[in-house]
Amino acid sequence: MTDVQSNRPADQDEDQDTVWVQEVAFIDSVPRWMAMSFVFVVFVGTWQLVTSLGLVSPIILPTPLETLEDMIFVGKNLLTGGYMLGALWITIKEVIYGFALAIAIGFSLGVLVGETTFGEKAVMPYLVAIDTMPKVAFAPLFVAWLGFGIESKVALAAFIATFPIVVGTAAGLHSADENARMLFKTMGASRMQTLIKMKLPTGLPQIFTGLKIGAVGVMAGAITGEFLGGGRGFGELIRVAASQLNTPRVFSLILYLSLVGLALYALVTWTQRKVVFWHKERVGAYDA
Amino acid sequence: MNAAQTMDYAGAPLGAPVYELNNVSKTYARNLVVALQDVSLTLRKGSFTSVIGSSGCGKSTLLKIMAGLIPPTRGRVVLQGRPVTGPRRDIGMMFQQATLFPWKTAVENIVLPIEIRDGKAAAKKALEKAHDLMDVVGLKGFENVYPNELSGGMAQRTSICRMLITEPAVLLLDEPFSALDELSRDMMNMELQRICREQEATAFLVTHSIQEAVILSDDIVVMKPRPGRIAEIVKVDLPRPRTLHMMTTPEFGEIVDYIRGLLDKGENM
Ligand SMILES: Nc1ncnc2c1ncn2[C@@H]1O[C@H](COP(=O)(O)OP(=O)(O)OP(=O)(O)O)[C@@H](O)[C@H]1O
Ligand SMILES: [Mg+2]
């Protein structure tokens, strides 16, 4: 009982003296790797079938093999430090700067809205109003203000990712219950202490939910920014390949890009597990 | 804090008045509910007082006013010679829920009041005392366990320790064990009695259980609803220390019946 550290992650009881017969449908009892491989094979098989039967023009949909060949080509270019690596790096920078900016602004606004009556009354309505606008439509404005460099993409990426973080933070701060508030009051805690020692830790699960939604948005923002504002990032490579009707290239570039998104998402999830160790989240489809 | 005055009271003999309520009334501004009307009460040092009354008769409101969490509309609350105008160090409180924080271990939860008041260093110094307290309530070995691995009873014991760590002069308890099963509840009550005797603490308990009130208390404040006021203060003359056996004695039964009668009358008003 004293060795909690090693105790915590082990969820299941080891000793199983009595054998339980639990009714689990066959489809739910398949191991994860097997289930995932199965879906993968079905997906690629259908894809192969559709393309090799000539149901779809190769310009619209390349075969899986063509896509794989192109992925190898792109992979080599990336590994040998070719021009694609430079483009990928630009996009990664946009994503990282955009996310960092979104976290800083989103968290600050979230605390303002979630902690102060002023923020809730006077700031939140405006945030909701802006949030309902199609944010991508601001892209040309950002280009006009910040130019064709990475700044305009960072701005759009951050702009899209900020709102879920604001909402997550504000909701998190509201999630502390009446008993906890009363307890802190009886201990004579200041407002700052209550915020830092109670409300923020209580709200961390929601804050991380906001961060995860933001992480997805930041990718979309960066790539949209590149489509609409040029530059030399990965989105530009996709746009050029598409304009040349080089569909296998478009496919393989998107797949590589999704790896970046996945890595960012995994980073947030990993941080959440480390920080919010007490909160066991139901593992959703996203949390690999 | 006026040190000299506190010293005076710390050294005051058992039986000297510690808590004095004078015509305390409370009307909630939001809905104009008269939750309390002219409640006057004196708690003596080392005494155990329970409040009993139907739901909504203002018990929690009374406790919150005594704790300095909400202001009374009229009247005066004086604790150890000083009016209560906000949360105070010499008041310890416990609620129906244990309200432990899951990111802190049991012992870290216990020293939280010290951390809030005197900072991290002081909290660290108080760890030893926290261990002793956990020992007293039978939680030895669970110091570094996180709350989600504690049972309901263990969690409430932890919150007792958290209340006691600051050595409050009075304990305000709002149905602290009502979420527990009867067996653990009886045990916790006996433990509470022992702790109060050892620390010479003055206790004020809100409860819904007549038995619980009788077995623990010197005085039982019976309240009537709408508006909440005191119907009668019943003295319990059972000898101390109380034991669970006393619940089967005729004297015990008599007092329980008498209080039940008072409560029934209150209902019909
Ligand atoms: N914050 C509040 N605002 C407005 N009215 C309140 C508030 N808290 C309590 N009341 C009202 O005051 C009255 C007394 O409430 P209180 O919580 O003190 O009752 P109680 O005796 O503790 O009841 P219970 O046994 O159910 O806990 C009730 O009618 C309740 O509706
Ligand atoms: Mg109550």
Side-chain angles (χ1 to χ4, degrees):
Chain A
M1 257 311 173
T2 38
D3 190 6
V4 198
Q5 291 307 116
S6 70
N7 237 331
R8 215 187 309 127
D11 247 343
Q12 290 94 353
D13 272 329
E14 245 79 51
D15 53 319
Q16 293 177 324
D17 298 344
T18 41
V19 179
W20 271 64
V21 185
Q22 271 177 319
E23 299 256 341
V24 178
F26 171 72
I27 192 164
D28 293 325
S29 71
V30 180
R32 182 173 199 154
W33 67 269
M34 218 192 263
M36 284 182 76
S37 322
F38 174 75
V39 172
F40 183 79
V41 168
V42 169
F43 176 73
V44 176
T46 315
W47 181 4
Q48 181 71 51
L49 205 69
V50 166
T51 45
S52 53
L53 286 179
L55 295 176
V56 188
S57 146
I59 293 176
I60 293 172
L61 186 64
T63 66
L65 200 64
E66 280 175 317
T67 308
L68 183 66
E69 275 167 7
D70 203 273
M71 280 183 78
I72 292 169
F73 175 82
V74 174
K76 275 186 186 150
N77 190 303
L78 290 173
L79 285 178
T80 54
Y83 71 99
M84 289 185 193
L85 185 68
L88 183 63
W89 181 234
I90 288 175
T91 301
I92 288 178
K93 273 203 291 199
E94 291 163 1
V95 165
I96 291 174
Y97 293 158
F99 198 39
L101 201 62
I103 292 174
I105 298 173
F107 183 73
S108 310
L109 281 177
V111 171
L112 179 70
V113 165
E115 176 65 13
T116 68
T117 313
F118 172 82
E120 192 175 357
K121 276 190 192 153
V123 181
M124 196 59 189
Y126 291 103
L127 289 178
V128 171
I130 298 172
D131 195 24
T132 55
M133 300 174 186
K135 287 179 261 327
V136 173
F138 284 79
L141 273 180
F142 287 132
V143 173
W145 292 336
L146 299 166
F148 290 94
I150 86 166
E151 291 85 353
S152 54
K153 286 83 184 175
V154 170
L156 185 64
F159 188 51
I160 291 179
T162 296
F163 294 93
I165 300 176
V166 175
V167 173
T169 307
L173 292 182
H174 279 294
S175 69
D177 71 354
E178 194 48 47
N179 284 310
R181 288 165 203 265
M182 199 121 82
L183 183 70
F184 263 68
K185 226 173 150 186
T186 63
M187 295 191 295
S190 66
R191 185 172 185 173
M192 202 51 156
Q193 283 177 318
T194 308
L195 177 65
I196 289 172
K197 289 187 192 286
M198 196 264 289
K199 289 190 183 177
L200 272 179
T202 305
L204 276 175
Q206 273 107 320
I207 294 175
F208 269 100
T209 303
L211 288 179
K212 283 192 229 174
I213 301 173
V216 175
V218 87
M219 268 311 282
I223 297 301
T224 313
E226 289 178 356
F227 283 171
L228 299 173
R232 289 177 292 131
F234 226 57
E236 177 65 8
L237 294 186
I238 295 176
R239 198 187 59 76
V240 169
S243 70
Q244 293 165 347
L245 300 182
N246 186 355
T247 359
R249 175 61 48 82
V250 175
F251 269 60
S252 75
L253 289 174
I254 290 177
L255 284 170
Y256 277 105
L257 204 54
S258 75
L259 290 184
V260 177
L262 219 56
L264 186 67
Y265 195 88
L267 180 71
V268 177
T269 311
W270 180 82
T271 315
Q272 176 176 24
R273 283 225 191 105
K274 290 287 151 206
V275 177
V276 200
F277 60 87
W278 63 89
H279 188 252
K280 296 251 159 46
E281 200 173 28
R282 279 188 65 84
V283 176
Y286 273 114
D287 309 48
Chain B
M1 189 180 280
N2 186 333
Q5 210 165 37
T6 333
M7 288 289 281
D8 263 347
Y9 276 91
L14 289 175
V18 244
Y19 235 127
E20 278 165 298
L21 280 79
N22 256 316
N23 294 317
V24 170
S25 301
K26 175 76 186 179
T27 307
Y28 282 106
R30 188 184 341 157
N31 47 9
L32 295 177
V33 167
V34 183
L36 287 178
Q37 197 172 50
D38 291 326
V39 172
S40 297
L41 201 59
T42 303
L43 303 190
R44 299 189 175 278
K45 180 161 171 155
S47 69
F48 200 115
T49 309
S50 294
V51 196
I52 199 158
S54 56
S55 188
C57 71
K59 304 181 295 293
S60 298
T61 304
L62 179 62
L63 212 74
K64 284 180 200 165
I65 291 174
M66 290 170 73
L69 289 173
I70 53 173
T73 317
R74 270 184 300 114
R76 233 168 103 80
V77 181
V78 177
L79 170 60
Q80 308 215 75
R82 290 187 305 133
V84 174
T85 50
R88 285 218 338 222
R89 272 189 107 99
D90 44 357
I91 301 174
M93 251 196 122
M94 213 174 138
F95 306 102
Q96 190 168 352
Q97 265 76 38
T99 317
L100 302 176
F101 297 103
W103 54 88
K104 285 179 175 294
T105 61
V107 76
E108 286 168 353
N109 266 289
I110 291 172
V111 297
L112 182 66
I114 309 262
E115 182 184 332
I116 299 273
R117 284 166 185 174
D118 306 318
K120 278 223 155 67
K124 215 167 164 193
K125 275 197 204 124
L127 280 177
E128 201 176 322
K129 191 168 158 202
H131 279 99
D132 293 345
L133 280 171
M134 289 186 82
D135 209 359
V136 170
V137 301
L139 280 177
K140 202 176 176 60
F142 290 90
E143 288 84 358
N144 300 317
V145 167
Y146 285 90
N148 51 21
E149 293 173 42
L150 297 175
S151 73
M154 286 153 83
Q156 273 303 15
R157 279 169 221 245
T158 309
S159 82
I160 292 185
C161 296
R162 179 176 57 197
M163 169 178 75
L164 294 176
I165 191 99
T166 49
E167 298 181 356
V170 288
L171 310 179
L172 303 180
L173 311 155
D174 196 349
E175 306 185 41
F177 308 132
S178 58
L180 303 183
D181 62 284
E182 209 174 318
L183 222 62
S184 351
R185 185 150 128 187
D186 285 344
M187 271 167 51
M188 298 294 286
N189 279 334
M190 289 302 109
E191 215 147 273
L192 183 63
Q193 173 184 228
R194 189 168 53 78
I195 289 167
C196 288
R197 280 173 70 92
E198 272 171 19
Q199 316 240 338
E200 297 190 348
T202 310
F204 191 71
L205 170 82
V206 170
T207 178
H208 272 127
S209 156
I210 305 178
Q211 273 89 354
E212 185 173 272
V214 176
I215 201 70
L216 286 171
S217 313
D218 303 304
D219 297 299
I220 299 175
V221 179
V222 182
M223 291 186 66
K224 338 185 246 203
R226 283 171 302 266
R229 68 228 120 111
I230 296 179
E232 192 173 326
I233 299 181
V234 181
K235 286 226 169 296
V236 182
D237 282 327
L238 300 173
R240 288 208 179 262
R242 308 274 168 81
T243 59
L244 292 174
H245 284 296
M246 289 182 187
M247 291 177 128
T248 54
T249 61
E251 292 93 320
F252 184 89
E254 256 169 49
I255 304 173
V256 168
D257 283 344
Y258 181 69
I259 292 173
R260 180 161 294 132
L262 284 178
L263 288 173
D264 286 345
K265 246 196 289 172
E267 272 310 286
N268 300 332
M269 297 186 68

